Amino acid sequence: MLTSIAGKTCIVTGASKGIGKGIAHVFAAQGAKVMIVARGEADAVSAVKEIVAAGGEADYCCCDMSEWSQVEAMFAKTAEVFGRVDIVCANAGIFPQVKIADMDPEDWDHVMSTNLKSTFLTVKAAIPYFEKAGEGRVVVTSSITGPVTGFPGWSHYGASKAGQLGFIKTAAMELSRYNATINAVMPGNIYTEGLQGLGQDYLDTMAASIPLKRLGTVEDIANAALFFASKEAAYITGQQIIVDGGQILPESLEAITEI
Ligand code: NAP
């Protein structure tokens, strides 16, 4: 059993929906005080209400994670509300699909600043709080898309997710002087609200391509994030773990049908 994170303060970016909301729920259920971060207020408020109704402690802050002044202000608000910042989950991200031939330079920049620049801004803003606390944890939500696999329409997304893994190597070295670690979780296909509209046939086809024969849950990702946030992971930094039910393993269509 992992040492409890009860009483720790945790910022989860992109926590009003999907994987981030799952991380926020799991961390709050473990007794952490969670700051829900997203641009939209309504979903952030709902996420807080759900956590509080389940007996957890949470607040929210509306923030565009690609804007430095907003990120700094969000960290200041977290410290004001909860007293300190112990754990930061850099999870906010977008995945608009557009093929390279149709992609505008602005499309590229938007995905890069939301997914990759935001990761840098998150770590930069966390440093003074980790320095003060004498320790810290960052858990980044990357993806298998980009670092390992490709998917038409996601060249910019994949580059941003691979970029996060490049970033954490040097960030891990620089954060070590504050006794802080940074690691990444690389999800496969995770069942989130966003996928519900794609229809059962699409979901069944996706599940059939995964050796464990199901899409991941937000809790599958949150549990891996929880490990990186735990005391037991104190000596792991600059690393990544794939959580995908074996999705990247089949080397051909035949391999998956042989199971
Ligand atoms: P989601 O359900 O669409 O949720 C995205 C969250 O990020 C929302 O809370 C959204 O709230 C927030 N967000 C978006 N842009 C933001 C910004 N500029 N500043 C602050 N918050 C912002 O997405 P998800 O599927 O859970 O994905 C979360 C992370 O997991 C992403 O980094 C994604 O790349 C990664 N991932 C997902 C999957 C998957 O299968 N779902 C697989 C691999 C990796 P607002 O729109 O209100 O800001």
Side-chain angles (χ1 to χ4, degrees):
M1 182 159 161
L2 301 177
T3 303
S4 172
I5 58 164
K8 299 274 186 195
T9 291
C10 177
I11 292 171
V12 185
T13 73
S16 65
K17 290 182 223 160
I19 290 173
K21 190 157 102 171
I23 294 173
H25 270 273
V26 166
F27 280 42
Q30 297 292 320
K33 302 167 194 176
V34 179
M35 181 58 78
I36 304 282
V37 180
R39 291 164 304 172
E41 187 165 29
D43 287 335
V45 169
S46 301
V48 170
K49 282 186 181 160
E50 284 174 33
I51 288 174
V52 171
E57 193 173 345
D59 203 335
Y60 76 95
C61 184
C62 292
C63 170
D64 183 339
M65 290 303 300
S66 62
E67 293 291 334
W68 172 237
S69 60
Q70 293 187 36
V71 175
E72 264 193 309
M74 180 272 287
F75 271 78
K77 179 178 173 181
T78 306
E80 194 184 306
V81 173
F82 294 136
R84 53 190 280 151
V85 179
D86 301 303
I87 303 163
V88 182
C89 295
N91 169 82
I94 54 170
F95 29 91
Q97 220 172 341
V98 52
K99 291 187 181 157
I100 295 164
D102 303 318
M103 191 183 292
D104 293 328
E106 294 75 21
D107 297 331
W108 176 274
D109 289 345
H110 183 49
V111 167
M112 284 297 162
S113 48
T114 307
N115 296 357
L116 184 54
K117 181 181 162 195
S118 69
T119 307
F120 147 64
L121 295 181
T122 303
V123 170
K124 180 174 170 63
I127 285 174
Y129 298 92
F130 291 168
E131 187 168 23
K132 198 168 164 202
E135 61 182 351
R137 289 278 194 283
V138 182
V139 184
V140 174
T141 310
S142 173
S143 179
I144 57 169
T145 309
V148 185
T149 61
F151 200 103
W154 279 334
S155 62
H156 50 357
Y157 174 74
S160 73
K161 294 284 137 182
Q164 287 178 310
L165 298 186
F167 172 76
I168 68 168
K169 306 297 175 205
T170 295
M173 296 176 70
E174 295 186 16
L175 286 173
S176 65
R177 67 184 295 179
Y178 311 108
N179 191 30
T181 67
I182 180 167
N183 295 287
V185 180
M186 300 162 69
N189 280 324
I190 307 304
Y191 188 67
T192 57
E193 296 96 318
L195 288 191
Q196 284 165 13
L198 298 176
Q200 199 53 48
D201 282 354
Y202 178 80
L203 296 174
D204 290 347
T205 308
M206 275 165 68
S209 70
I210 299 169
L212 286 177
K213 299 294 179 211
R214 67 170 177 87
L215 271 66
T217 64
V218 294
E219 290 79 15
D220 288 324
I221 305 306
N223 288 331
L226 181 63
F227 170 65
F228 280 139
S230 73
K231 191 177 168 193
E232 283 72 14
Y235 202 53
I236 302 171
T237 194
Q239 301 304 309
Q240 61 254 0
I241 185 166
I242 293 174
V243 183
D244 74 340
Q247 186 178 339
I248 63 161
L249 300 177
E251 61 183 30
S252 65
L253 271 178
E254 195 189 357
I256 193 81
T257 52
E258 282 286 315
I259 294 175

